[in-house]
Amino acid sequence: YRSGDTLYRASFGFEHANDNRVEQARVTTLERFLVNEESDQGELSVNVEHKFIAGVTGRLDIVQNYESETSQSGRAGAVATSEARSGESNLRATLVLRNSDQLGFEAGAEAAFNFLDQTSTLTTTNANVRVEELRIQPFATMNWQIAPRFALESGVRYAPSTISQSGDTNSERSFNHVKPRVIAVLDVLDRTQLRLGYEHAVRQLDFEYFAASNGPSE
């Protein structure tokens, strides 16, 4: 939807899955395991883009993800149940400046909140746990078309974050990462491009590492 110099976009998705099965395994005798897994996933995305003046544009992106999982597994009469809810709330604001076809800048910040909340009938460590992460990431990038066949892309992100865990185990840790990125692009021929770059990337932690998972119950 467009209103004057402002463009609005929104999308929503939802998915439900259910898996029931019987698994057989032989250790000393043939044993049957009952497995039931059910999950729901949803995502809401909203984007607002506004043109302030010629060459200056602002963007606001809001993304909300949510997932719910229920798992039951084990031998008949000894089934373990685990329920997990997780989600991510993400807010990103960007200011784009482009005064020519040769030079452009972007600057902004992104804030994210992630969580995992799990309850389980398992008696192992971290069967019942809640994990949260708060991350704020300012960033700046530059795109420079130095020559008709040569361009330079550069940028830097600073990502401080705090991860806390509560439930069966209580702990908290903070991290600080500087993530530079530089890429040189050379159009050697019309259909041949040479790219040389350096980037420091940090992988997002999988919260499931903090929680115990269901397995065949003894």
Side-chain angles (χ1 to χ4, degrees), residues 16-24 32-40 68-76 78-84 119-121 213-217:
H16 175 79
N18 195 336
D19 181 18
N20 292 280
R21 63 184 185 274
V22 176
E23 299 179 351
Q24 295 189 128
R32 299 171 71 246
F33 298 96
L34 308 177
V35 180
N36 174 266
E37 296 176 338
E38 186 172 353
S39 66
D40 294 305
S68 174
E69 295 182 347
T70 301
S71 174
Q72 295 179 315
S73 63
R75 301 180 182 90
V79 176
T81 300
S82 176
E83 297 182 356
T119 58
S120 176
T121 59
S213 60
N214 267 13
S217 180

Side-chain angles (χ1 to χ4, degrees), residues 84-200:
R85 294 165 296 281
S86 62
E88 178 176 8
S89 303
N90 191 285
L91 175 64
R92 178 187 176 100
T94 308
L95 186 65
V96 182
L97 297 88
R98 180 169 291 278
N99 56 4
S100 67
D101 294 335
Q102 286 74 40
L103 191 61
F105 297 93
E106 288 189 14
E110 178 179 343
F113 174 76
N114 303 282
F115 78 92
L116 169 66
D117 196 354
Q118 176 178 289
T119 58
S120 176
T121 59
L122 292 170
T123 57
T124 57
T125 303
N126 293 335
N128 299 282
V129 64
R130 180 176 176 89
V131 184
E132 297 180 352
E133 179 192 25
L134 178 61
R135 184 177 70 253
I136 300 176
Q137 181 173 255
F139 61 89
T141 62
M142 180 189 71
N143 296 288
W144 184 15
Q145 190 71 41
I146 300 174
R149 289 184 175 271
F150 182 62
L152 184 67
E153 303 173 11
S154 62
V156 62
R157 297 170 181 266
Y158 176 62
S161 65
T162 300
I163 298 179
S164 61
Q165 178 179 350
S166 59
D168 291 345
T169 302
N170 297 316
S171 63
E172 182 176 294
R173 291 190 64 184
S174 297
F175 303 89
N176 293 278
H177 301 289
V178 178
K179 301 186 288 185
R181 177 175 181 265
V182 179
I183 299 177
V185 183
L186 177 64
D187 293 328
V188 182
L189 300 171
D190 290 341
R191 296 186 180 181
T192 304
Q193 189 177 78
L194 178 63
R195 300 174 67 91
L196 178 64
Y198 166 81
E199 181 176 4
H200 177 65

